[in-house]
Amino acid sequence: MIFLWDYPRIKYVAGQVMKRKTNIFLLLLLTMVYGLPAVAQTTKWWNPATNAFPVISGQAWPAEVTQPYDRLPARAEKEVTSHVWYLSHQAAGLAIRFSANAPTITVRYTVKGDLAMPHMPSTGVSGVDLYAINKHGGWEWTAGGYSFKDTITYNFINLGTDTREYRLYLPLYNNVSWMEIGVPDNATFKPIPARKEKPIVIYGTSIAQGGCASRPGLAWTAFLERMMDREVINLGFSGNGKLDPPVADLLTEIDAKIYVLDCLPNLAAADVKERVIKTVQTLRKKRPAVPILLADHSGESIHSLNTAMEEIFSNANKALREAYTALKAMNISNLYLLPAAEMNIGREGTVDGVHPNDIGMERYAIAYEKAIRKILHETIDTSFSTTQPCRQNRDAGTYDWESRHNELLTANKQSAPKVVFLGNSITHYWGGEPKAPIARSEDSWQKMLAPLGVRNFGFGNDRIENVLWRIYHDELDGFDASHVVMLIGTNNLAHNTDKEIIAGLRLLVTGIQQRQPKAKILLSGLLPRTGMETRITNINKAIAMLARPLGVTYIQPGKVFTLPNGKIDTRLFSDGLHPNDAGYQKLAAYLAPLLK
């Protein structure tokens, strides 16, 4: 049997076969199975460290690092302990994002430390890990052949030619001194800038750093990053997550979505209460509103026969509860606790009674996702696709979905919109700001909506679940709108039942209410479209019934697009779905009075 990691050896064997002009059938077989190129092709290489803009995800201080793949700023060397400073050079939690349509991707790099540890393989200590997101927002993992030599090489082959966003996780326990990513010369390759949403910031021990995952993408922090689809700043320091004041001061510099303190495995029970209280007080002084999640010692959920270890875990968790109670008594708000029982690592989830294996890492991440989503009001119902937030890249030929999302985050910080107009291409390509590549009725928008402070939150090809992702990723944070208009759901008609669409809208409305409690929400019925008039009439009745108990206002702009017989007025549409200028003029005239 031939395995993927035999790729370098297979290339060598294939070369010998060619030289001897024998066994051509074997070469063809290897070409089909392993994707070995029949004709040599040149490779173009990219060095993330020399890119014109920051591309390394998971770095809180990208402009201040001593080495390209460090986790702490250079000035921290004089503030933190020598052990923490040494560990900060290890690339745990860092990832590089790029898009490519390459059938093969090669990663080559060098590291400075030992390749492996007794309880953790070289693939986790020193390896990389490649994941991708497809155009519908689904995660995919990519197996690679690897060679650990002076220069470590990973070859990812047979990837097809679809354009995807890739996420390359870097080594968990080694210093990356140099790295290049290569694709064939004829492939497209585009670095993706670092995320603009607020990150999850984790301060912890070796467990947070990634010990003992078999590969970087299986560290619980990486699991969590994919589950939440939100950047994670990994400040796990093996044996040295001790709630040190200098590190706590550095945490306050990060504009976090939530802080996680998971340091009990490195603390004596006698020190837990004092250090937890001081660290929380430090965070609260500079970040008064950011949620803080305190974590139990996960070892108490393993249930080993080693009674001495069990007592250590139990005593640490008792001390944490004392600290939690004391902080609550000080009126420290937005403070939460994650119990060991919910982590549920179990006997099969550990390498040595403390460090999780891959099973334990996934259980750890699931517990954190559940806790953090509850804190951040990010409800998910796995019953339907409409109730599971995800991004999309279905309209990539027309616009860049994430770039538009980033534009909105930047615009909202610069000036607060009075009216938020959430939608799909019907809204996106109407007009207004941020500018779209298409403007079908800029004049009607500028005359009737722009004076009311309307900002265009429409994204071409969006479905309900994509808008849910966007509101869960900060698009409605940091300002108070007077109105939120929702015109979304028509792109779900081909993929979901009416019941699923209504469930998605219900969850979306609830999410908007939690983020914009002062806004009046206008929930629109779907606009008519050719050949679907009857179904849309029926689903709009269900949307109207949904609005009343949720306390939002149902609006029905679709009536301006229909004839007396209920059929669509084709004179107002360009394609039976998107209004033309005359249609948008009527739509603006309907909406404007509702927004004053």
Side-chain angles (χ1 to χ4, degrees), residues 410-476:
T410 300
N412 293 345
K413 285 185 177 180
Q414 293 172 345
S415 64
K418 292 181 180 177
V419 178
V420 170
F421 197 156
L422 292 164
N424 45 47
S425 58
I426 295 171
T427 306
H428 184 181
Y429 301 136
W430 183 349
E433 299 289 341
K435 290 287 185 183
I438 301 168
R440 293 193 169 105
S441 187
E442 183 73 25
D443 180 64
S444 66
W445 184 288
Q446 290 303 116
K447 282 184 178 180
M448 288 184 264
L449 299 184
L452 302 176
V454 182
R455 182 162 293 160
N456 190 330
F457 282 63
F459 282 59
N461 232 313
D462 257 14
R463 300 173 189 162
I464 294 167
E465 56 267 31
N466 307 131
V467 180
L468 189 63
W469 186 98
R470 295 197 283 117
I471 72 163
Y472 282 1
H473 285 75
D474 307 356
E475 284 190 13
L476 298 185

Side-chain angles (χ1 to χ4, degrees), residues 20 34 73 144 214 359 398 413 492:
R20 295 174 183 141
Y34 291 99
S214 64
I359 296 172
T398 306
K413 285 185 177 180
N492 291 93

Side-chain angles (χ1 to χ4, degrees), residues 3-72:
F3 295 93
L4 187 57
W5 48 80
D6 287 329
Y7 177 67
R9 180 173 61 80
I10 291 167
K11 285 186 69 177
Y12 171 80
V13 172
Q16 297 302 308
V17 169
M18 286 294 288
K19 287 179 182 178
R20 295 174 183 141
K21 298 182 180 180
T22 60
N23 208 344
I24 298 301
F25 174 75
L26 174 61
L27 178 61
L28 292 174
L29 179 62
L30 294 176
T31 299
M32 288 186 293
V33 174
Y34 291 99
L36 301 180
V39 179
Q41 54 185 345
T42 56
T43 299
K44 56 184 176 185
W45 295 96
W46 172 69
N47 186 335
T50 60
N51 198 68
F53 51 83
V55 293
I56 301 172
S57 178
Q59 265 186 337
W61 300 272
E64 297 186 63
V65 292
T66 303
Q67 301 170 26
Y69 302 101
D70 283 357
R71 292 183 287 152
L72 291 181

Side-chain angles (χ1 to χ4, degrees), residues 72-324:
L72 291 181
R75 56 189 159 83
E77 182 177 9
K78 297 179 180 179
E79 301 167 1
V80 301
T81 67
S82 59
H83 297 295
V84 168
W85 179 245
Y86 169 79
L87 292 163
S88 73
H89 299 309
Q90 297 176 347
L94 302 187
I96 298 164
R97 295 194 304 145
F98 58 90
S99 66
N101 66 351
T104 63
I105 296 174
T106 302
V107 183
R108 61 187 185 188
Y109 59 101
T110 57
V111 296
K112 295 180 180 178
D114 293 334
L115 293 179
M117 296 189 292
H119 60 335
M120 187 172 175
S122 56
T123 50
V125 173
S126 306
V128 296
D129 212 359
L130 189 64
Y131 283 75
I133 301 179
N134 63 32
K135 64 182 180 180
H136 300 298
W139 283 101
E140 300 169 349
W141 177 68
T142 305
Y146 44 80
S147 172
F148 284 89
K149 297 180 180 178
D150 290 342
T151 296
I152 301 172
T153 303
Y154 271 71
N155 292 297
F156 303 96
I157 61 175
N158 296 330
L159 304 178
T161 55
D162 290 343
T163 299
R164 301 183 184 88
E165 176 189 322
Y166 287 94
R167 192 163 304 179
L168 182 72
Y169 291 99
L170 302 191
L172 295 169
Y173 269 86
N174 224 322
N175 307 22
V176 176
S177 52
W178 167 85
M179 171 175 284
E180 284 186 335
I181 299 171
V183 298
D185 258 341
N186 60 353
T188 61
F189 183 94
K190 179 183 176 183
I192 299 177
R195 303 282 289 266
K196 284 187 175 292
E197 303 99 347
K198 294 182 179 182
I200 298 168
V201 178
I202 297 170
Y203 179 22
T205 66
S206 56
I207 297 173
Q209 184 166 342
C212 294
S214 64
R215 47 187 174 85
L218 297 181
W220 74 263
T221 50
F223 265 121
L224 181 66
E225 187 219 27
R226 293 192 299 278
M227 290 171 173
M228 303 288 296
D229 199 7
R230 183 180 289 273
E231 183 181 21
V232 170
I233 304 295
N234 185 334
L235 296 180
F237 302 110
S238 186
N240 287 272
K242 298 181 178 181
L243 299 179
D244 294 323
V247 179
D249 289 335
L250 287 167
L251 293 181
T252 66
E253 298 178 11
I254 307 171
D255 187 13
K257 189 72 173 180
I258 184 172
Y259 292 112
V260 174
L261 303 180
D262 191 345
C263 292
L264 264 61
N266 288 164
L267 292 173
D271 298 328
V272 168
K273 183 176 179 179
E274 178 185 359
R275 294 207 173 205
V276 168
I277 289 174
K278 284 186 176 180
T279 302
V280 170
Q281 288 175 328
T282 298
L283 294 175
R284 271 291 162 264
K285 192 176 295 184
K286 290 190 178 180
R287 301 288 180 180
V290 179
I292 300 172
L293 178 58
L294 307 175
D296 263 353
H297 194 313
S298 58
E300 196 171 19
S301 70
I302 293 172
H303 307 301
S304 144
L305 288 177
N306 189 325
T307 55
M309 287 180 66
E310 291 289 305
E311 186 176 3
I312 291 172
F313 305 154
S314 177
N315 289 339
N317 290 342
K318 287 177 183 176
L320 179 65
R321 276 160 180 70
E322 291 175 5
Y324 179 77

